Amino acid sequence: MYRHIIVGRGLIGSAAARHLSSWQDGVAVIGPDEPADRMSHDGVFASHYDEGRLTRIYDPVAEWSITATRSIARYPEIEAESGIDFFTPSGFLGIVGSEDVTTRPAVTLARENGGNTTTIDAAAMRELYPFLSLPNDCAGIRETETAGHISPRALVKAQTALAEKNGADVIRSTVTAIDVKGSSVDVTLDDGRVLEAERVLIATGGYTTACKLLPRPVSTRVYARTVVLFRVTDAAAEVLEHMPTIIDKFAGSYILPPIRYPDGHSYVKIGIGTEADAQLGSREELDAWFKSTGSERNRLEFTDVVERLIPVLKDCPERHTDTCVTTYSTSGLPYIDFVAGDHLAIAICGNGKGAKGSDDWGYAAARLMEGGDWDHPIPRYKLKAVFS
């Protein structure tokens, strides 16, 4: 019997496995590798199959700023111990209205948490980032050193490697059923094996409800998201050499600088998440979405947004779409809580920005599983599960 089994080897699950296995033995983490071919794959998918996610201390919500701060502080340790690089400190730029006073408390909070965060006017932005076409009534929030982008693929790989180094069993399978039995939990795998543990943590993101892994469902919303990737020409790459990650509040978009992908090419990525995107409920809907090319409406809209903001991308005609999902809670924070006595717990709901603080959300989940005093700055009650 295992002491702890973590179901889900994404950003939060792999982080929980690393932390928990560094404190206790008897840990296993279960989750398949990324499929080589999505179209022929008949298993589950995950949203970390990508090379770019924004990371920064700046955030208007204190809990997200705090967990990002704690996670970013651990990036060097994780990279050094795993030998896997995943963080690029390219910086961050938030584009907001010049009279937007709501950003001031967030800038103050980021500074208090150690972020090199400043506000700049439109003239300074044009000087620093001449490749941007900006409106006159804008201002910027700039963060350097602690901000940039991570490769979620590489971060999961690093967390998994360190969990294994700590003695955890890494089981590259899919869980088909979970059964709470008194003082233990049975976990059934897709190959028919049944594993037993004292405690089980479910960190399966948008698939949690669809795969019916909980004794009763929690209240979540799972949205289908489309992104557009612009393959960057050599000339455009030179222009965008010092491009930061960007959140444009005018368009509601996030944009990542040129990042090298597994095909050897560099891409600028843009995404915009809205409640107009389709909600996904069933396993069939999720699988079909991951195998699709996304929303054509989104492709056209995102292309127009990014070409107006970064005109040089008009000269990059090769572009394509990709798909992922985002999972939201009712509170805007992850659910990290027991859902069946003190034997079955969840750590789900990145709320569209879970990557940057994923290591610390995994730390919180590991503390919950460990069963000792709650050693985290976010009070437990704020992370309680809400059932539907």
Side-chain angles (χ1 to χ4, degrees), residues 52-65:
R53 291 288 188 279
L54 284 77
T55 189
R56 65 200 182 281
I57 290 175
Y58 174 82
D59 195 288
V61 179
E63 291 85 356
W64 287 104
S65 180

Side-chain angles (χ1 to χ4, degrees), residues 148-366:
H149 54 87
I150 58 174
S151 163
R153 277 192 182 108
L155 178 51
V156 167
K157 184 178 179 182
Q159 300 279 32
T160 300
L162 291 178
E164 197 164 27
K165 183 179 178 181
N166 291 338
D169 287 346
V170 178
I171 301 169
R172 291 171 167 81
S173 300
T174 300
V175 171
T176 58
I178 293 174
D179 185 15
V180 180
K181 291 186 168 183
S183 60
S184 66
V185 184
D186 284 351
V187 177
T188 303
L189 307 183
D190 53 0
D191 60 9
R193 284 182 293 164
V194 179
L195 307 179
E196 188 178 10
E198 295 174 14
R199 285 178 169 171
V200 169
L201 174 71
I202 297 176
T204 47
Y207 274 86
T208 304
T209 297
C211 289
K212 299 178 174 62
L213 295 177
L214 302 179
R216 55 177 174 153
V218 291
S219 181
T220 61
R221 289 166 293 131
V222 181
Y223 286 99
R225 301 302 197 202
T226 301
V227 298
V228 181
L229 295 105
F230 292 72
R231 180 173 161 182
V232 179
T233 63
D234 290 343
E238 186 174 347
V239 172
L240 302 176
E241 182 179 2
H242 300 295
M243 178 179 168
T245 60
I246 295 171
I247 291 180
D248 180 0
K249 198 169 180 180
F250 287 92
S253 64
Y254 67 88
I255 307 169
L256 287 110
I259 298 172
R260 188 168 296 278
Y261 274 69
D263 65 1
H265 299 294
S266 293
Y267 295 87
V268 165
K269 184 178 80 170
I270 177 173
I272 301 175
T274 73
E275 294 199 359
D277 290 333
Q279 287 195 52
L280 307 174
S282 70
R283 167 73 187 273
E284 292 72 24
E285 288 174 333
L286 283 161
D287 291 351
W289 177 252
F290 275 105
K291 292 182 179 183
S292 76
T293 57
S295 163
E296 176 64 10
R297 175 184 60 82
N298 286 166
R299 185 188 70 80
L300 295 172
E301 177 187 353
F302 299 176
T303 297
D304 180 63
V305 166
V306 78
E307 288 184 347
R308 280 189 283 109
L309 182 65
I310 309 174
V312 72
L313 291 177
K314 294 178 182 178
D315 301 326
C316 300
E318 294 188 43
R319 62 278 302 262
H320 67 273
T321 56
D322 199 1
T323 56
C324 67
V325 302
T326 54
T327 306
Y328 289 83
S329 66
T330 59
S331 65
L333 297 174
Y335 293 141
I336 301 177
D337 192 17
F338 285 111
V339 293
D342 62 353
H343 296 287
L344 182 64
I346 56 172
I348 61 172
C349 297
N351 291 276
K353 53 182 179 180
K356 64 180 184 287
S358 61
D359 183 70
D360 203 47
W361 294 124
Y363 175 93

